[in-house]
Amino acid sequence: MKTRVGVLYGGKSPEHQVSLSTAMAVMNAIDPHKFDVIPIYITPKGQWIKGEQLTGPIEEIKQLQFTSAATALIPVSLNQAPAADSAAEGNEETIDVIFPLLHGPNGEDGTVQGLLEILNIPYVGNGVLASAVGMDKVIMKNLFAQAGLRQAKYIAVTKYDWQKSGETVYDRIERELGYPCFVKPANAGSSVGISKCKQRGDLKAAFIEAFKYDRKIIIEEAIVGREIEIGVIGNDEPICSVVGEIVPKKEFYDYEAKYEDGQTELIIPADVTKEQYETIKQMAITAFQALDLSGLARVDFFLAEDGAVYINEVNTMPGFTPYSMFPLLWQHSGVPYPELIERLIALALERHQEKQTITYTFEKEKR
């Protein structure tokens, strides 16, 4: 019997369109001999719509943007009767595992993962805490520091503190970080809302832009060097891919460079020494375990001009088209795209099975 995979995509997020591209790629690549695919679309307004089981390739992204009210889905209806209920066994409507291809807030940040945990449905990728921490750059970097990982200096600022005393905030940044520096929303991905600042005027404009996307932002010192990334998959025994390098034609790897202008060069494998690769690999696994990640992650680094390695961030649901860095890293490591998808589904089922052995009730022993 084939495994029924519910592919969840779209979402209330600035990265809605990125999610659509990812979902189209995954659904077209998944092995139809092993899996039945059921598309589940979350509209920009948050409505869930379930599509018909796929019977062929998807030609255009607009095919995934369902609008029919007749197929609207109440998320909790994904929960099926317990397996012990004989009427549920063999039910063609049962979804065996969810593959959440949601980027950014309201999907990659632990919110959807929490819903799936409550419904006790297996899902691909990181759990609630790991997803939330991986999305919040401030908390993530605090944990990196606790794990002893080298990283750029940073300052976190809330919108309240900025509105109360913006000039004081700017003074602190100039004193502790200097220029150039980067301003980012704390909870966003795909380089949304990121600015590089070289003077106070840039800083003021960058704060306005970043606070459009979050109530908390992070300001980081600029590390002069190369941008290096590595893929990690696994649960309790994570493994790493080869490393890749991003060479943007612009000043930094922003949203347009990632998804629109087509000018960014990806070098895989990156030209690093054996010692540098081992350092990057060990730091990636340390970060994976420090944040209690599972399933997959892309871990991003800076390789400074003096050879020092700085961790930048983890991405708990990286870009996942065949042309995205994460799948390309694994392709160059001997794991082709369809096999990568299959491995991640297997890891999701493995982790879910382990959770079923946990006791969630407590009864005092009678004497």
Side-chain angles (χ1 to χ4, degrees):
M1 182 178 292
K2 292 190 283 186
T3 301
R4 287 175 61 83
V5 181
V7 177
L8 187 61
Y9 61 93
K12 292 176 64 177
S13 165
E15 298 169 78
H16 185 95
Q17 288 300 126
V18 179
S19 176
L20 292 175
S21 298
T22 301
M24 178 175 171
V26 168
M27 287 191 274
N28 281 340
I30 199 166
D31 188 342
H33 300 292
K34 297 180 180 179
F35 304 98
D36 287 330
V37 178
I38 299 91
I40 304 171
Y41 175 50
I42 304 178
T43 71
K45 292 186 177 181
Q47 183 182 34
W48 292 46
I49 304 176
K50 183 178 178 183
E52 296 295 326
Q53 180 178 314
L54 292 191
T55 57
I58 303 161
E59 304 294 340
E60 297 179 284
I61 283 179
K62 65 181 180 181
Q63 292 176 246
L64 298 178
Q65 295 172 288
F66 309 131
T67 58
S68 174
T71 55
L73 174 71
I74 299 173
V76 293
S77 69
L78 291 171
N79 194 13
Q80 299 295 323
D85 183 348
S86 60
E89 295 179 5
N91 186 343
E92 292 184 357
E93 296 302 314
T94 300
I95 292 177
D96 298 310
V97 60
I98 294 287
F99 202 140
L101 294 170
L102 299 160
H103 301 292
N106 301 307
E108 191 182 345
D109 57 358
T111 50
V112 163
Q113 289 77 11
L115 171 65
L116 297 174
E117 288 284 355
I118 290 171
L119 299 179
N120 199 32
I121 299 175
Y123 59 93
V124 171
N126 291 278
V128 178
L129 176 64
S131 297
V133 169
M135 175 59 64
D136 190 313
K137 294 178 178 64
V138 176
I139 304 302
M140 174 178 61
K141 288 180 178 293
N142 290 345
L143 289 177
F144 286 167
Q146 186 174 352
L149 295 168
R150 182 193 284 124
Q151 59 186 325
K153 291 184 290 184
Y154 63 96
I155 292 172
V157 178
T158 64
K159 192 172 187 177
Y160 173 81
D161 287 337
W162 172 61
Q163 289 175 332
K164 185 173 67 173
S165 184
E167 294 302 319
T168 301
V169 170
Y170 301 144
D171 289 341
R172 182 189 173 198
I173 291 166
E174 291 175 341
R175 184 174 63 252
E176 297 183 17
L177 303 183
Y179 297 110
C181 62
F182 286 92
V183 176
K184 309 175 181 179
N187 291 275
S190 294
S191 299
V192 171
I194 295 181
S195 303
K196 185 176 183 179
C197 305
K198 299 179 180 178
Q199 58 183 344
R200 183 167 289 209
D202 297 340
L203 204 58
K204 292 180 177 180
F207 271 53
I208 293 171
E209 178 65 15
F211 277 126
K212 291 179 183 176
Y213 301 101
D214 199 2
R215 57 167 292 276
K216 179 172 65 176
I217 65 175
I218 185 168
I219 305 90
E220 303 170 4
E221 69 169 330
I223 301 295
V224 179
R226 299 157 60 192
E227 295 187 48
I228 304 293
E229 300 183 345
I230 193 169
V232 186
I233 59 174
N235 289 331
D236 295 315
E237 297 182 352
I239 59 173
C240 292
S241 68
V242 300
V243 294
E245 180 175 0
I246 295 170
V247 186
K249 302 302 181 183
K250 306 175 71 171
E251 267 203 294
F252 70 97
Y253 197 35
D254 64 6
Y255 185 93
E256 288 183 358
K258 284 185 177 181
Y259 301 112
E260 295 176 2
D261 64 16
Q263 298 298 307
T264 298
E265 183 181 3
L266 304 181
I267 301 174
I268 307 173
D271 182 15
V272 299
T273 66
K274 182 179 178 181
E275 291 76 16
Q276 287 169 336
Y277 173 72
E278 289 301 323
T279 298
I280 292 167
K281 178 181 172 182
Q282 188 54 55
M283 288 177 72
I285 290 176
T286 298
F288 194 90
Q289 294 174 332
L291 272 58
D292 195 25
L293 305 185
S294 58
L296 76 161
R298 193 194 69 229
V299 189
D300 302 348
F301 294 86
F302 295 117
L303 183 57
E305 293 178 329
D306 63 0
V309 178
Y310 294 79
I311 191 167
N312 180 26
E313 62 184 27
V314 301
N315 192 311
T316 58
M317 182 45 70
F320 212 89
T321 73
Y323 311 105
S324 301
M325 177 64 95
F326 182 81
L328 287 173
L329 288 170
W330 284 106
Q331 180 180 312
H332 282 78
S333 303
V335 183
Y337 191 57
E339 183 183 332
L340 179 61
I341 294 169
E342 190 171 337
R343 283 200 191 187
L344 293 175
I345 292 172
L347 286 167
L349 294 171
E350 172 189 275
R351 185 188 59 182
H352 182 74
Q353 188 60 40
E354 180 188 27
K355 288 179 181 176
Q356 305 316 296
T357 66
I358 297 172
T359 300
Y360 293 97
T361 57
F362 174 73
E363 291 183 14
K364 194 171 181 181
E365 226 177 89
K366 293 181 180 179
R367 298 195 177 206

